[in-house]
Amino acid sequence: MKKHVLILSACGIALSSAAVAQTRAISGQVTDGGGSGLPGVTVLERGTTNGASTDSDGRFSLSVQPGATLVISSIGFETQNVVVGDRTTIPVTLKTSATTLGEAVVVGYGTQSKQDLTGSVVQLGAKEVGNQPVQSFEQSIQGRAAGVFIENSSGKLGQGIRVRVRGVASISGDTQPLYVVDGIPVLADNLSSTSAATNPIADINPNDIESISVLKDAAASAIYGSRASNGVVLVTTKRGKAGATRFTLGFQAGTSRPTNKREFLNGEEYVTLLTEALVNSGRSATANATRLRTYAAGADPLTYDTDWQDEVFQDASFSQYDLGASGGNDKTRFFISGQYSNQKGIIVSNKYERISTRFNVDHQATDKLKIGINAALSRSRNQRLPNDNAFSSPMQTVALAPITPLIDPRTNLLSGALDPATGNPNSTFPFYYNPLLGVDNGSYTTIIYRTLSNVYAQLDILKSLSFRSELGIDVQNQSEDQFLGRVTSRNTGPTNGYGFSARATNARVVVNNFATYRNTFNDLHNLEFTLGTSYESAQLTSNNVTGTQFASDAYKTLANSSLITGGSSSRTNNTLVSYFGRANYALAGKYLLGLSARYDGSSRFGTNNRYGFFPAASLGWLATEESFLSDNKVLSLLKPRISIGRTGNQGFPNFASRALFAGTSGYVGIPGQRPQSLASPDLTWESTTQADAGIEFGFLQDRISGEVDVYEKRTTDLALFAPVAATSGFTSLFRNVGSMRNRGVEFTLTTRNLVGAFTWTTNFNASRNVNRVTDLDGPPILGSFLSRAQEGQPLGVFVGPEYAGVDPANGDALYYLNSTNSDGSINRSTTNDINEATLVPVGDPNPKWTGGLTNTFSFKGFDLTATLVGVFGNKVFDGGAQYYSVGFNNGPDNQTRDQLQRWQKQGDITNVPRAEYLGGNGIGLSSRFVRDGSYGRLRTIVLGYNLPAAIAQKVYLQSLRVFVQGLNLVTFTKYKGWDPEVSTDYLTGSASQSQNNINQGIDFYTAPQPKTFTIGVNIGL
């Protein structure tokens, strides 16, 4: 033992040691209980990433080390561990099963058998991820992993996506998980020049993914230390398999439409209700008639009935082409792929296009040295839309009056394009700027070129000891170009055209070096040690420029701008140095111990606290391996486990700890500088301590199996802007002052309802997380609308006046006073003055429960999979309702049809106040606009048919599969807005991370999710 420990500790200088291990070429066939070959079965050398997949006949070939054990797994079958010994041919028969106890699960810096795993990890395969009409893989796994909440911010393509692993663990820091692709942490920074975030993970082709592991508790994620508080998502891409070269061709096409539309007033209803509101405001009949004719382009008010919502939405096409090749021999294996995806958005002028390629090669250079490369290149082009809050956003077209024509009969042009009296862009008609003018006369295009690559070398020093070195690069080059023609001047100002151009380069270099030792003593003690170092360096450079005064709309580049109106540039960088280790021990295959730790040093933190230590420990017990349960016929698996550990968060600006100066105080050409921030030398990581207790179970030979976890996450040292004496020249200092807590429970259940020729499997998961801000060391942090961070409440809680309905006597909106009486009771009297109402919590945007239900059926080549997702107990703040659901009390915006239920006469009982044009009755931000955001959704349904291999081979194919699928087909919800799955973009991608985190669940003219239908074919050659 001492000898091995010495070799491990000296592995960095002993790479030239002689190795006696020789690889062995093996082959075999994997069949089912009926003797039929099983294609696509994973055959993996245990404890390594060396593996292969079976071909259409279930055959495989592989080179392994002496004494190797093969882990053979496939979804729906029991995983087998097969000792190679002296054999070169290995036949394997898999038994049908719902669990994968022996499955090799990808964890940080290696793999582990699921039976030895003591952390909380969920792993998903290529079948769950690929071949879906979405832009990024996170959208594919929505509802499939307990404790992982995924929320699309809107139906705009390429927009940012919120992924929450066991809740939100920060206010001012990053709350997204760490993404690691083929062992290399990748960039996930939002480079958008607007406050609407884009999604950098969309650059990864989902069809290149072999598996995804989500590390949820500290025992699983602490090896990533200072970036693991929000969970870790490990992505493993597909690799070549030894054997003849196989080609795959995939194609699918379809169409999308909105999942829902809101109900707005038609022309007649608009005239009726607006006239009533005008009369109630004291305006004369003559003035009202003139107003209505003006809205109708001078015609009779009932001449037109324009559905502006229909002018915004469109049926949108989707097409995707995939081509791949893989193969190799005992020495060299390769995987090559290419994809072209083209998707139009459900909103006019929105389009996302991506072309990507991947090249993975593994080469056994010598008996002891293996080298390889993983290279991915992509180009995406996103025709973007304005932010939700922009007047030019197509969704805000719904504010226009239905009595306003789409085409102005006086000009035969789009309403608002030109004033017939002057020939200039119209500044008075319609009553608001027509966003469709920007669709026809503007563009905003984001193009991203991305290189995500790494090379590795793995040296097998001894039979049980290996050393691996990895070098990875991730380079993202992004350009943004916007042009607005002169007809949009009402929105942009009289500038004869407006242009904007921005360029950004985000680059990261990662170097990993680690040694792994695995050995088994006396067939009783199974040991695994991993020890290594990591170095990361990242740099972001960017610049932008704006210009106006173009000679013609035909000139759209800034080189043709006559007036450059602004510009800026920036550069920032950071480094991270880490030392990490992990030890796993299994006694008799049933008593399990896991230890891990990481020591991180970051340039982002103060000189006094630059390094952090993040340990974790876990225990597990395979109780069903005990002799007293060996003859049990009911309980097939019982594995309790516990863990505790600490992780960190370093997702903050690069120089937040330093006293910075800005050279922006020049005056009339004389340079100048000014202090920009105070030094915070004690600034350090946010630390999250997480305890987890779980149990894995199986009954009736695993016909029923599942997991239950309970956990608590306590985050301390929240980095916040805390008040300081103004005599310092500043009012706040970024330092560690607050705390937060997440508590939750997760439940996963898999049942094999039917087995045999017809199979039916059900996978169900549900999770509940309760978030609380426990300490801010100061006043609440206000967000937008009613959102805030407040002690004792969940992050993002809505706090405001509580709406009490309508006064039957006069139609006034009422609010509860909610003041405290002298006896300590709450005064529930009402007032029509919103300013007299006490601010109270009126809703929580965080769901109480999330979950998913997937049913899979198969019969003689046919298969059907349907996934339902559910989000329950959350609230949505309908921010646009203060304009379109207030009975014209806030202007002439078209109203939702519920406003027809307004108060009209004394004694009316309703929740809709009296309509009064610009009367301000009920428009104040209150619980009136807080809605129930719970929903259930048929997220995906796929029906496929696999042509029998014998028939496919007669037409010179290895396989043929045809399928049809639907995405977001049906939504069950009480929410009357466009979509309950919402978080308006302009509040979630700004430079203020705390505002992004606080402003959750807000709807502000936000586009709904698309409902998509596709048909496709996958061909194997």
Side-chain angles (χ1 to χ4, degrees):
M1 173 61 75
K2 291 182 178 179
K3 178 180 178 181
H4 292 306
V5 173
L6 289 173
I7 292 175
L8 176 62
S9 62
C11 63
I13 60 175
L15 299 184
S16 61
S17 299
V20 296
Q22 301 290 322
T23 58
R24 177 192 302 274
I26 60 171
S27 61
Q29 185 180 27
V30 182
T31 59
D32 60 16
S36 300
L38 292 173
V41 176
T42 299
V43 181
L44 188 69
E45 182 180 355
R46 184 172 178 176
T48 74
T49 57
N50 179 37
S53 287
T54 58
D55 61 17
S56 58
D57 297 322
R59 300 186 183 278
F60 69 91
S61 58
L62 191 65
S63 293
V64 298
Q65 297 295 324
T69 296
L70 300 182
V71 180
I72 303 175
S73 61
S74 181
I75 295 176
F77 294 89
E78 288 186 7
T79 297
Q80 287 195 29
N81 295 323
V82 179
V83 178
V84 174
D86 296 328
R87 293 180 293 174
T88 58
T89 302
I90 301 175
V92 180
T93 300
L94 294 183
K95 296 180 180 179
T96 303
S97 176
T99 62
T100 52
L101 190 60
E103 176 186 354
V105 178
V106 178
V107 295
Y109 305 100
T111 61
Q112 270 189 278
S113 170
K114 187 174 176 63
Q115 68 183 3
D116 296 335
L117 200 63
T118 52
S120 182
V121 180
V122 58
Q123 181 159 295
L124 302 168
K127 291 183 179 179
E128 288 91 354
V129 179
N131 285 323
Q132 294 191 29
V134 295
Q135 297 90 55
S136 63
F137 69 82
E138 314 103 291
Q139 296 167 290
S140 300
I141 63 176
Q142 193 171 13
R144 292 182 176 267
V148 182
F149 175 52
I150 299 173
E151 178 185 72
N152 294 277
S153 61
S154 78
K156 296 178 184 177
L157 301 179
Q159 292 286 95
I161 295 175
R162 290 194 172 199
V163 180
R164 299 291 181 260
V165 179
R166 293 185 168 180
V168 180
S170 182
I171 296 177
S172 298
D174 190 9
T175 53
Q176 295 282 93
L178 172 68
Y179 294 95
V180 180
V181 178
D182 291 329
I184 304 299
V186 300
L187 297 166
D189 302 322
N190 168 37
L191 301 184
S192 174
S193 294
T194 75
S195 59
T198 53
N199 182 14
I201 303 302
D203 298 328
I204 300 172
N205 177 7
N207 283 355
D208 284 343
I209 295 175
E210 181 69 27
S211 70
I212 295 174
S213 291
V214 183
L215 314 183
K216 297 188 292 185
D217 70 343
S221 62
I223 198 166
Y224 287 101
S226 64
R227 295 169 295 177
S229 284
N230 303 311
V232 181
V233 177
L234 305 179
V235 176
T236 302
T237 60
K238 296 176 180 177
R239 317 207 66 76
K241 315 297 188 291
T245 299
R246 305 295 186 189
F247 295 91
T248 59
L249 175 65
F251 168 74
Q252 61 174 313
T255 184
S256 300
R257 63 189 62 172
T259 51
N260 184 47
K261 295 181 180 179
R262 294 192 85 138
E263 293 187 351
F264 286 90
L265 302 179
N266 61 31
E268 183 177 355
E269 292 166 337
Y270 181 88
V271 169
T272 300
L273 187 58
L274 178 58
T275 300
E276 179 181 321
L278 290 167
V279 170
N280 287 342
S281 68
R283 288 166 170 80
S284 69
T286 301
N288 296 342
T290 300
R291 178 189 295 271
L292 292 173
R293 291 187 67 87
T294 300
Y295 291 173
D300 182 276
L302 297 181
T303 301
Y304 304 103
D305 190 3
T306 305
D307 190 334
W308 288 102
Q309 190 171 205
D310 280 350
E311 301 301 327
V312 171
F313 290 123
Q314 64 180 2
D315 288 345
S317 62
F318 168 82
S319 61
Q320 182 173 293
Y321 306 82
D322 289 275
L323 179 64
S326 65
N329 52 36
D330 294 341
K331 290 290 187 180
T332 305
R333 302 186 305 277
F334 68 90
F335 170 79
I336 303 174
S337 74
Q339 183 190 78
Y340 173 72
S341 177
N342 190 336
Q343 185 169 6
K344 286 186 176 181
I346 57 172
I347 307 177
V348 291
S349 194
N350 190 204
K351 182 179 179 181
Y352 187 86
E353 183 181 28
R354 180 181 63 215
I355 184 169
S356 64
T357 184
R358 174 169 287 276
F359 182 48
N360 291 351
V361 177
D362 301 286
H363 178 64
Q364 194 73 44
T366 69
D367 292 336
K368 57 184 177 181
L369 179 63
K370 182 179 180 181
I371 58 177
I373 182 173
N374 308 300
L377 305 173
S378 67
R379 176 193 184 270
S380 62
R381 185 178 189 270
N382 190 357
Q383 290 181 203
R384 298 177 61 187
L385 296 171
N387 295 358
D388 290 344
N389 67 324
F391 286 115
S392 55
S393 170
M395 290 295 293
Q396 293 212 24
T397 309
V398 298
L400 297 181
I403 62 175
T404 298
L406 175 66
I407 302 298
D408 190 337
R410 298 165 298 185
T411 63
N412 289 321
L413 298 174
L414 190 65
S415 284
L418 293 178
D419 186 335
T422 65
N424 295 322
N426 207 315
S427 60
T428 59
F429 176 82
F431 51 71
Y432 293 138
Y433 171 75
N434 185 351
L436 295 179
L437 295 172
V439 171
D440 292 343
N441 299 276
S443 64
Y444 187 178
T445 303
T446 298
I447 296 177
I448 299 174
Y449 290 90
R450 187 155 186 180
T451 301
L452 177 57
S453 306
N454 69 80
V455 295
Y456 74 88
Q458 181 169 313
L459 182 65
D460 296 318
I461 302 172
L462 294 173
K463 175 182 176 180
S464 54
L465 178 64
S466 65
F467 179 81
R468 185 180 177 96
S469 185
E470 300 171 337
L471 170 63
I473 60 169
D474 186 2
V475 180
Q476 182 180 0
N477 288 294
Q478 177 169 305
S479 64
E480 296 174 284
D481 291 286
Q482 183 181 25
F483 177 78
L484 297 171
R486 61 187 61 202
V487 76
T488 68
S489 63
R490 183 178 178 187
N491 187 56
T492 60
T495 58
N496 290 323
Y498 169 87
F500 169 80
S501 182
R503 300 293 183 270
T505 298
N506 202 9
R508 175 182 286 172
V509 176
V510 181
V511 180
N512 294 328
N513 291 287
F514 58 96
T516 301
Y517 173 80
R518 296 182 181 90
N519 210 344
T520 300
F521 300 95
N522 301 324
D523 293 326
L524 188 64
H525 306 280
N526 191 339
L527 294 173
E528 177 189 341
F529 296 99
T530 298
L531 186 65
T533 66
S534 179
Y535 171 80
E536 298 183 26
S537 177
Q539 179 171 285
L540 171 62
T541 59
S542 62
N543 60 75
N544 65 76
V545 62
T546 59
T548 61
Q549 302 300 332
F550 291 79
S552 163
D553 284 357
Y555 301 102
K556 301 180 186 301
T557 60
L558 281 170
N560 298 287
S561 168
S562 300
L563 179 64
I564 300 300
T565 56
S568 66
S569 64
S570 66
R571 182 177 63 192
T572 183
N573 62 282
N574 67 83
T575 57
L576 181 72
V577 177
S578 307
Y579 308 89
F580 57 86
R582 178 176 57 225
N584 293 316
Y585 171 65
L587 174 61
K590 52 189 175 183
Y591 306 113
L592 311 173
L593 170 66
L595 301 171
S596 67
R598 189 175 181 113
Y599 188 61
D600 276 335
S602 173
S603 63
R604 286 179 167 168
F605 296 109
T607 54
N608 298 339
N609 288 302
R610 188 151 288 171
Y611 289 86
F613 181 61
F614 304 96
S618 56
L619 293 171
W621 176 33
L622 269 171
T624 40
E625 293 296 312
E626 297 287 359
S627 58
F628 59 82
L629 288 177
S630 59
D631 296 328
N632 177 66
K633 302 300 183 182
V634 177
L635 187 64
S636 49
L637 171 64
L638 183 63
K639 179 186 172 185
R641 49 179 168 76
I642 59 172
S643 69
I644 189 169
R646 184 172 65 184
T647 54
N649 190 348
Q650 64 143 4
F652 302 100
N654 286 334
F655 308 113
S657 67
R658 303 187 182 185
L660 300 178
F661 282 75
T664 57
S665 297
Y667 182 69
V668 294
I670 301 173
Q673 61 179 331
R674 61 177 177 83
Q676 181 171 296
S677 62
L678 289 173
S680 186
D682 294 322
L683 184 68
T684 189
W685 330 86
E686 293 182 342
S687 294
T688 298
T689 300
Q690 182 174 181
D692 180 282
I695 187 167
E696 302 171 25
F697 59 86
F699 297 100
L700 305 175
Q701 296 183 340
D702 292 335
R703 289 289 294 270
I704 302 172
S705 61
E707 298 181 32
V708 179
D709 279 86
V710 293
Y711 63 87
E712 178 167 299
K713 296 171 61 175
R714 289 184 177 271
T715 302
T716 57
D717 296 327
L718 287 179
L720 303 170
F721 281 98
V724 295
T727 53
S728 65
F730 296 87
T731 58
S732 63
L733 175 66
F734 197 59
R735 58 192 180 95
N736 303 97
V737 293
S739 61
M740 180 185 291
R741 184 189 69 217
N742 287 275
R743 288 176 177 167
V745 59
E746 300 166 356
F747 177 70
T748 301
L749 182 68
T750 300
T751 60
R752 289 188 298 138
N753 307 310
L754 295 174
V755 296
F758 182 84
T759 66
W760 172 22
T761 301
T762 299
N763 295 282
F764 170 75
N765 72 81
S767 56
R768 172 170 169 76
N769 182 81
V770 179
N771 173 273
R772 286 291 182 271
V773 177
T774 52
D775 182 21
L776 288 177
D777 195 33
I781 303 173
L782 302 182
S784 295
F785 297 101
L786 300 183
S787 301
R788 62 173 60 188
Q790 180 170 307
E791 288 183 7
Q793 297 294 330
L795 183 64
V797 63
F798 302 134
V799 176
E802 184 181 1
Y803 185 61
V806 174
D807 189 338
N810 56 21
D812 283 353
L814 298 177
Y815 305 90
Y816 291 108
L817 287 174
N818 280 324
S819 55
T820 303
N821 295 319
S822 57
D823 61 357
S825 61
I826 301 301
N827 183 359
R828 296 290 286 173
S829 300
T830 60
T831 176
N832 63 358
D833 184 353
I834 193 172
N835 296 311
E836 294 179 354
T838 302
L839 306 185
V840 296
V842 292
D844 181 1
N846 302 282
K848 293 181 179 178
W849 287 95
T850 60
L853 176 68
T854 300
N855 280 289
T856 303
F857 308 87
S858 66
F859 178 71
K860 292 186 177 181
F862 288 93
D863 59 82
L864 175 66
T865 301
T867 297
L868 288 160
V869 299
V871 177
F872 308 103
N874 62 303
K875 300 296 183 181
V876 172
F877 186 83
D878 190 355
Q882 62 183 311
Y883 304 105
Y884 51 60
S885 295
V886 288
F888 298 109
N889 272 277
N890 207 9
D893 306 51
N894 195 10
Q895 301 292 292
T896 51
R897 297 195 74 251
D898 61 311
Q899 296 306 295
L900 295 175
Q901 307 302 317
R902 78 285 189 189
W903 181 96
Q904 290 182 284
K905 63 183 183 303
Q906 187 175 4
D908 283 351
I909 304 300
T910 178
N911 274 327
V912 182
R914 176 176 183 258
E916 182 179 353
Y917 186 74
L918 292 177
N921 187 16
I923 69 172
L925 302 182
S926 71
S927 65
R928 181 186 180 192
F929 306 125
V930 176
R931 323 291 196 200
D932 183 359
S934 301
Y935 69 91
R937 174 169 280 163
L938 180 56
R939 176 63 179 171
T940 58
I941 184 168
V942 183
L943 173 64
Y945 176 70
N946 297 282
L947 192 68
I951 299 177
Q953 290 170 3
K954 289 181 179 180
V955 291
Y956 306 102
L957 300 177
Q958 292 296 321
S959 61
L960 174 65
R961 172 178 169 80
V962 294
F963 63 90
V964 293
Q965 69 176 320
L967 179 73
N968 297 330
L969 293 187
V970 183
T971 302
F972 308 94
T973 184
K974 294 180 180 179
Y975 185 61
K976 300 302 182 183
W978 282 284
D979 198 321
E981 184 180 350
V982 63
S983 196
T984 187
D985 58 13
Y986 82 99
L987 295 176
T988 55
S990 69
S992 172
Q993 187 64 48
S994 62
Q995 289 296 302
N996 299 340
N997 294 335
I998 292 171
N999 294 316
Q1000 306 176 56
I1002 297 174
D1003 188 350
F1004 194 83
Y1005 299 93
T1006 305
Q1009 301 298 311
K1011 178 190 300 182
T1012 305
F1013 304 86
T1014 67
I1015 183 170
V1017 59
N1018 294 325
I1019 301 172
L1021 301 173

